Amino acid sequence: MKKLNKLVILFCLALTVFSCSSDDENNTEELQNTNVITLNNETYVVNTVIVEPSIGDNTYVSLINKNETEFLDAINNGTQVDNVNVFNMRINQSPLGEQTYSFSDIPNFEFSINGQMINGELEEGDILLDRNNADTSLNASTGSFTLDYYAIDQIEFSFQFTRNDGTVINGNYKGDFVYYD
């Protein structure tokens, strides 16, 4: 009987150890794949999301690699910020709703890296995706934006675009955001 009790305890202990390590690995992988934009094998971190409603039932969504304070200081006070990565989308709806927006609902989008904020204006860097670029390989042929959760202080969404050259750009974000009205 003592042998059976020891085996049961050993089995439960082993089950607990393996269960915890598996969850930790999944949580780490999930965190690494959240609040990022990916293109090929490159990952671009997103630290700030700005949601800005506009006239004409449009909403602009911007994903930026700089923190909120740094970016807003650059806009409002003219502070220069280097190495700015920005993904901008204009969605034909205001206010946004928790739904999937198709490619036709997103008439304008652009993803550029290594830009600069100078005197409150974004100077584009290297353009990786653009709806209306003369280099048609940078244009997208398909895309969508899915808003999973949208509340006063939290937002959760994902998106995916496929450029004309077949390159897929996708991303997701889950966290707080700036409502810029």
Side-chain angles (χ1 to χ4, degrees):
M1 187 69 166
K2 286 184 180 181
K3 271 188 174 181
L4 184 58
N5 285 340
K6 287 181 183 179
L7 283 174
V8 168
I9 291 171
L10 185 60
F11 177 74
C12 290
L13 181 61
L15 188 60
T16 302
V17 168
F18 287 118
S19 295
C20 290
S21 68
S22 177
D23 288 347
D24 291 344
E25 289 170 12
N26 288 341
N27 288 339
T28 301
E29 185 176 317
E30 183 178 316
L31 288 173
Q32 290 174 344
N33 294 324
T34 302
N35 301 352
V36 296
I37 300 168
T38 57
L39 180 138
N40 292 327
N41 292 324
E42 294 291 322
T43 300
Y44 303 91
V45 174
V46 176
N47 288 312
T48 303
V49 168
I50 298 174
V51 176
E52 182 180 359
S54 180
I55 297 172
D57 292 330
N58 293 303
T59 302
Y60 291 89
V61 177
S62 300
L63 294 77
I64 306 153
N65 67 321
K66 301 299 178 181
N67 69 50
E68 176 182 336
T69 303
E70 186 177 24
F71 193 75
L72 291 178
D73 189 43
I75 291 173
N76 297 324
N77 301 323
T79 305
Q80 182 170 328
V81 179
D82 297 322
N83 300 318
V84 178
N85 301 339
V86 178
F87 193 108
N88 290 313
M89 287 177 272
R90 186 179 85 201
I91 302 170
N92 284 340
Q93 185 169 324
S94 183
L96 293 177
E98 294 172 357
Q99 65 183 59
T100 296
Y101 295 91
S102 68
F103 191 65
S104 62
D105 296 323
I106 311 167
N108 200 349
F109 50 82
E110 180 181 274
F111 180 37
S112 65
I113 61 170
N114 300 321
Q116 289 183 309
M117 289 293 293
I118 300 174
N119 296 323
E121 296 290 325
L122 178 65
E123 301 290 328
E124 293 176 343
D126 303 319
I127 296 174
L128 302 179
L129 175 71
D130 189 347
R131 177 84 185 224
N132 301 305
N133 197 295
D135 180 353
T136 57
S137 67
L138 297 176
N139 296 341
S141 53
T142 63
S144 65
F145 173 84
T146 301
L147 183 57
D148 294 312
Y149 183 75
Y150 186 45
I152 292 172
D153 61 347
Q154 293 287 301
I155 193 167
E156 182 176 349
F157 60 82
S158 60
F159 62 88
Q160 180 172 324
F161 292 91
T162 303
R163 287 192 327 201
N164 290 342
D165 66 1
T167 301
V168 174
I169 296 102
N170 59 25
N172 62 64
Y173 183 83
K174 180 179 182 180
D176 57 353
F177 68 100
V178 177
Y179 186 81
Y180 200 72
D181 192 17

